Amino acid sequence: MSSAFPAVHVLTPNFIEMKRFFITGGAGFIGGNFILNLMKYGQVKVVNYDKLTYAGNLDTLSSIENDPNYIFVQGDICDGDKLRKLLVEYKIDRVVHFAAESHVDRSIESPGDFIQTNVVGTYELLEATRNYLGKVSGLEDFRFLHVSTDEVYGSLRAPGLFTEETPYAPNSPYAASKASSDHLVRSYFKTFGLPVVTTNCSNNYGPFQFPEKLLPLMIQKALAGEPLPVYGDGKQIRDWLFVKDHCKAILQVLEKGEAGQVYNIGGHNEKANLEVVHSLCKVLDEMVPDSPYHPHKDLIEFVTDRPGHDRRYAIDASKIQKHLGWKPEESFETGLRKTVRWYLDNNDWVSRVMSGAYRGERLGLE
């Protein structure tokens, strides 16, 4: 292993204070939630680097847009020169890499976009970081955290669970592009000694999620009285992770994680898609009792399954729990209720997304 970079040190409990974070894809669902959570600590500076594709929404971060410790920079993850300049300019201590194309259906329609962003973009960020650490001293506790997915492991048969040692077997262009980026990150640790950690998470849900994903899509369709489309027989099983639990896990990995390691982050909430939709309908029946579409389960409609649809994902999160002391705080039931309540209480945010208005105010951004 190359000795071009500083030796890895155990991070102190005050690792957040005065650290300078470079966060890619911070206007997206998980990245936006992560930044909002991070800024609560106060003594931290955040540079949010986002291309603002359809899924990037600065409305999510409107509450902190005037905070002097928060900086937004619009840019492409594939722009290596810009990445190198920004890392130096802001003297970055932490890189957290969320930026990715992430919707499976879109990867089937346009796989090239996923290769460009998820593979080439990750390469450019790794190279920019390697260049930065080769020139700057005093960054002994620097970390590069790469956020990935359980979909890289492929489809799982019961009763097993995905561990950090599960062989990769991606079944969609999205999953394959994320698997490729995971391998690149690993290689930069093995070859160059880059202080990286990778997290592979299960299905996230919660506030600020773009309404192409299952729960926000179903919420909006149910409230409008539209059919609730369920792929195939609806028995595809996923492990559901509340986004705020995920954000806390990422901070735990940044604080205590060992460079070069992979940590699986799961919610311990295996649910079939049809069960999820039924649970959602029951919560909507309760929270919106005067809905003309009550009971909402009558809106469920089965549609043709998508190609390469994995049957089951389930994360074994025992490593992060045992070694780093993290475990999810929300059950699926409590997280679902918080999610539905958020969407009911934040109709302005939803309306701007559904109308496309959130994309119409981006001229003049850096």
Side-chain angles (χ1 to χ4, degrees), residues 38-263:
L38 184 61
M39 293 296 289
K40 293 177 181 178
Y41 290 92
Q43 298 298 320
V44 62
K45 293 185 181 295
V46 172
V47 179
N48 176 12
Y49 185 78
D50 198 296
K51 187 178 180 180
L52 293 183
T53 62
Y54 75 94
N57 187 354
L58 292 179
D59 286 359
T60 300
L61 298 159
S62 60
S63 64
I64 61 168
E65 62 184 359
N66 296 318
D67 191 311
N69 288 326
Y70 169 74
I71 299 162
F72 173 73
V73 179
Q74 186 172 5
D76 191 333
I77 193 64
C78 295
D79 187 344
D81 288 340
K82 191 168 188 176
L83 292 171
R84 283 187 284 274
K85 291 176 183 177
L86 290 169
L87 293 176
V88 172
E89 179 180 354
Y90 292 106
K91 301 177 181 178
I92 297 300
D93 301 295
R94 303 278 185 271
V95 172
V96 186
H97 181 33
F98 292 101
E101 295 282 353
S102 64
H103 194 239
V104 174
D105 287 352
R106 290 179 183 267
S107 80
I108 294 170
E109 296 168 2
S110 303
D113 294 340
F114 287 70
I115 301 303
Q116 189 67 21
T117 298
N118 299 354
V119 182
V120 177
T122 299
Y123 159 74
E124 292 290 356
L125 184 60
L126 287 165
E127 275 292 283
T129 303
R130 184 164 75 98
N131 178 272
Y132 170 63
L133 291 184
K135 294 180 177 179
V136 179
S137 59
L139 293 173
E140 287 78 10
D141 67 349
F142 180 93
R143 281 292 185 276
F144 180 117
L145 190 147
H146 172 61
V147 180
S148 191
T149 172
D150 58 1
E151 296 194 39
V152 298
Y153 299 124
S155 190
L156 184 67
R157 294 184 179 181
L161 298 172
F162 293 137
T163 73
E164 289 80 0
E165 285 73 42
T166 299
Y168 278 29
N171 291 320
S172 70
Y174 161 60
S177 67
K178 289 299 291 184
S180 299
S181 67
D182 291 5
H183 292 318
L184 275 174
V185 171
R186 181 180 187 275
S187 75
Y188 270 65
F189 172 74
K190 292 292 186 178
T191 303
F192 305 113
L194 202 70
V196 303
V197 283
T198 295
T199 58
N200 293 85
C201 69
S202 55
N203 265 34
N204 277 224
Y205 69 101
F208 300 111
Q209 190 169 29
F210 193 82
E212 67 182 0
K213 301 292 187 174
L214 182 64
L215 281 175
L217 176 68
M218 294 298 179
I219 291 171
Q220 299 315 308
K221 286 186 174 293
L223 294 175
E226 298 177 4
L228 306 181
V230 174
Y231 279 130
D233 60 7
K235 294 181 180 180
Q236 302 87 356
I237 294 173
R238 300 294 182 263
D239 175 29
W240 291 84
L241 173 66
F242 193 59
V243 66
K244 293 184 180 181
D245 279 334
H246 185 195
C247 293
K248 292 174 183 177
I250 290 172
L251 282 177
Q252 198 77 343
V253 174
L254 281 169
E255 178 183 9
K256 298 181 179 179
E258 180 182 347
Q261 290 295 306
V262 176
Y263 297 92

Side-chain angles (χ1 to χ4, degrees), residues 258-285:
E258 180 182 347
Q261 290 295 306
V262 176
Y263 297 92
N264 283 351
I265 304 172
H268 305 307
N269 289 305
E270 281 191 66
K271 303 285 182 183
N273 287 347
L274 184 59
E275 180 184 358
V276 167
V277 178
H278 274 291
S279 296
L280 171 63
C281 289
K282 288 181 181 179
V283 174
L284 285 172
D285 289 347

